[in-house]
Amino acid sequence: MKYAQLYFDYNATTPCAKEVVDAMLPHFHEDFGNPSSSHHPYGWLAKRSVEDATASIAKSLEVAPSSLVYTSGATESINMVLKGVARKLQSKGKHIITTKAEHKAVLDTCIFLEEEGFEISYLDVESDGLISLEKLNKTLRPDTILVSILFANNETGVIQPLDDIAGKVHANGSLLFSDTTQALGKVAISEVLKKVDYACFSGHKVYGPKGIGLVYIKNNEDGDGLPSLIQGGGQQKRQRGGTINTPLIVGLAKAIALAFEQFDDEKNRIEKLRNKLEAGLLQIEMALSNSKSPKRLPNTVHISFPYVDGANLLIALSAQIAVSNGSACNSASVEPSHVLMAMGVERTLAYASLRLSIGRYTTDADIEKAIAIISEEVSKQRENNILWERRG
Ligand code: PLP
């Protein structure tokens, strides 16, 4: 590791596993062919590598290989599904439902679609981060073409009841997309994929390379008719133009295979570490957890520390421990987390919050160090806060 720091930001990104790098390397220089070159062995070999990788991913996810389309990452996948469904079904209706606690990749795409004349309903979430099925039911309309609900929240780790949601959405004749980016490798996913029409994944969240992702399209054997975001070359059944990225696809397949091989042991190990971290941080006076739902990611802790300036805390911690106050994709923002705001957390408390996400290379010793460092820093910050002294 380059920095003398503890890494507690696995939801932002993960290191690419050594096994993944080893699997990719031959595809940069030796087996470098273009999978679409159909007249010579360089192309045939590359095509075979991509087909093997796709078969391996499909087996892990328990889906048909034809349901997988490669993209540059979850953001592109989200754009492809939301814009694609909107364009494909606009003659049926122009209403889309999502939640206020989605990742910005969904929310910003929804704003784009609003500018194109679509109507978006943004559902509130309850104080535990879950959506209300009753509110969803009331919001569904005959012209609702798509519902987009984040499966596992990247900030709080809270998991939505997609089973029940799918029942309501499909009974209304609407399609369901779920951003499943954070769930892959952390919680069981194959049953969820059976319920939704579309989902998405990203390599760099599962110890794979950056710049590769997937769209899952349930009924895609003969193509789903989803308009492509990127034209040119007709690759991937004309669903996403551009030369297929063999090395990154091989890396993604290796990363997913590793995650599934280690799934049970790793989930149990991480969950124990997460519980220890959370319990340790909740020992800090007045600390509050923002991950209140019993169903949540095993690796994520989100805690507010009243009477602490969150920005100062992050700056002070940055020399020793890599944590975040929300989504990395939104870290340039000086606004409090939109996810906490959607949950009704008070603004000053939302500012005073940390997300810690652990992973494959986190050890028990790291957890103890993190608790000690954060406890000390929170105390120091409070010593400088007159309101802490006067808190009564
Ligand atoms: N969706 C969720 C829930 C995420 O956590 C992220 C990454 O932070 C994304 C989408 C975007 O992923 P990518 O970096 O692959 O575009």
Side-chain angles (χ1 to χ4, degrees), residues 222-289:
D222 304 313
D224 158 276
L226 203 64
S228 177
L229 273 188
I230 298 172
Q231 278 68 45
Q235 288 92 348
Q236 303 202 66
K237 290 191 273 190
R238 302 200 162 274
Q239 289 177 308
R240 204 262 190 183
T243 299
I244 295 172
N245 195 331
T246 313
L248 297 196
I249 290 172
V250 168
L252 176 65
K254 183 70 187 175
I256 293 178
L258 282 173
F260 277 80
E261 261 167 52
Q262 307 173 357
F263 186 82
D264 288 327
D265 291 347
E266 191 56 5
K267 184 168 178 286
N268 292 338
R269 187 185 79 87
I270 292 286
E271 207 156 22
K272 274 191 202 137
L273 292 181
R274 189 271 319 265
N275 291 345
K276 179 168 175 171
L277 176 64
E278 192 171 66
L281 294 177
L282 287 174
Q283 292 289 317
I284 298 174
E285 203 177 339
M286 296 181 85
L288 301 161
S289 169

Side-chain angles (χ1 to χ4, degrees), residues 11-13 71-78 101-106 150-155 177 179-183 186 200-205 209-214 326-330 355:
N11 285 5
T13 195
T71 63
S72 64
T75 301
E76 184 190 326
S77 302
I78 289 165
E102 299 294 297
H103 189 273
K104 287 285 177 179
V106 167
L150 180 56
F151 179 43
N153 190 284
N154 47 298
E155 295 193 23
F177 163 64
D179 176 355
T180 45
T181 309
Q182 288 290 346
K186 296 178 190 145
C200 65
F201 300 105
S202 176
H204 74 99
K205 306 288 184 183
K210 293 175 180 57
I212 186 79
L214 277 171
S327 161
C329 315
N330 204 26
R355 174 188 76 179

Side-chain angles (χ1 to χ4, degrees), residues 119-139:
E119 190 189 339
I120 319 284
S121 298
Y122 298 91
L123 293 176
D124 281 313
V125 292
E126 307 300 302
S127 59
D128 57 3
L130 295 177
I131 66 159
S132 143
L133 292 173
E134 205 187 315
K135 282 185 196 156
L136 170 64
N137 232 359
K138 281 191 188 143
T139 314

